[in-house]
Amino acid sequence: QSALTQPASVSGSPGQSITISCTGTNSDIGSYDFVSWFQQHPGKAPKFIMYEVSYRPSGVSDRFSGSKSGNTASLTISGLQTDDEADYYCSSYSTGDTVVFGGGTKVTVL
Amino acid sequence: QVLLVQSGADVEKPGASVKLSCKTSGDTFASYFIHWVRQGPGQGLEWLGIIDPNDGTTTYAQKFQGRVTMTGDTSTKTVYMELNSLRSDDTAVYYCARGSGWIGTRVDYWGQGTLVTVSS
């Protein structure tokens, strides 16, 4: 159960779009559409912002979108805002009824 | 409103055990799964396991097999996570979180977290 691979950091200017990748294996992302994304501000609990690859929970801005291709899932934030500056984590269901998280990506709004 | 209220911060010595609680509200205990996830200082999220409080069925991450036990108390709608043989690298904030959807894969609501410090 190795962690999913995310870039350590991604940055963008206000109004721009950024994409965070999350790479797994055929035991998780490649075989299942149970990929979720979480946003975490410093000192806070993670917040659920995407599930089953591309579905947004109620109340989450439509500036967040998700996709998947092969063993890699992606989260795109469009119209970047200062409040989007946070850590982002992906997770996936994995064979054996387990869950695996990514290492996290720090998003900086320049 | 979905609430998961966790127990307070804890300090333990290496080799000891810690048992954390997560009190649920509404129909969470009877109808959903509970995940336990931890986050070491300055580190990412790490999944420990999941319990179906309704029947006590558990699945643990391979890394914690034999060292973690998750249980539930129907009378108080509280879920517990016990971690044994603590080491310094178990120092972390431990979260419980609700799992909904297919076998609880949708981790939608999180507790406030419990800081566990392992130090001699």
Side-chain angles (χ1 to χ4, degrees), chain A residues 6-10 18 20 37-49 64 75 77 82-90 102-109, chain B residues 39-45 95:
Chain A
Q6 298 182 233
S9 63
V10 173
I18 62 169
I20 303 167
W37 289 89
F38 303 89
Q39 177 193 62
Q40 187 180 36
H41 286 106
K44 301 292 188 182
K47 176 187 175 184
F48 177 56
I49 61 170
F64 293 90
L75 175 73
I77 309 174
T82 55
D83 190 51
D84 297 332
E85 188 161 291
D87 293 326
Y88 290 81
Y89 294 91
C90 60
T105 298
K106 182 176 180 60
V107 168
T108 302
V109 181
Chain B
Q39 186 170 35
Q43 297 184 12
L45 302 174
Y95 294 100

Side-chain angles (χ1 to χ4, degrees), chain A residues 68-105:
Chain A
K68 190 188 92 166
S69 178
N71 292 343
T72 299
S74 299
L75 175 73
T76 298
I77 309 174
S78 59
L80 201 60
Q81 299 178 358
T82 55
D83 190 51
D84 297 332
E85 188 161 291
D87 293 326
Y88 290 81
Y89 294 91
C90 60
S91 76
S92 175
Y93 171 85
S94 182
T95 303
D97 292 348
T98 60
V99 172
V100 61
F101 280 94
T105 298

Side-chain angles (χ1 to χ4, degrees), chain B residues 1 4 11 18-20 24 30 35 49 54 59-60 64 70 80 83 88 95-96 101 106 112 115 117:
Chain B
Q1 185 184 8
L4 299 168
V11 179
V18 68
K19 189 171 185 177
L20 308 181
T24 68
H35 296 262
N54 202 37
T59 301
Y60 302 136
F64 299 100
M70 298 176 188
Y80 298 92
L83 189 62
S88 58
Y95 294 100
C96 64
R106 201 179 305 170
Q112 84 276 19
L115 174 62
T117 303

Side-chain angles (χ1 to χ4, degrees), chain A residues 27-38:
Chain A
S27 295
D28 38 67
I29 293 177
S31 294
Y32 307 99
D33 287 338
F34 294 105
V35 177
S36 297
W37 289 89
F38 303 89

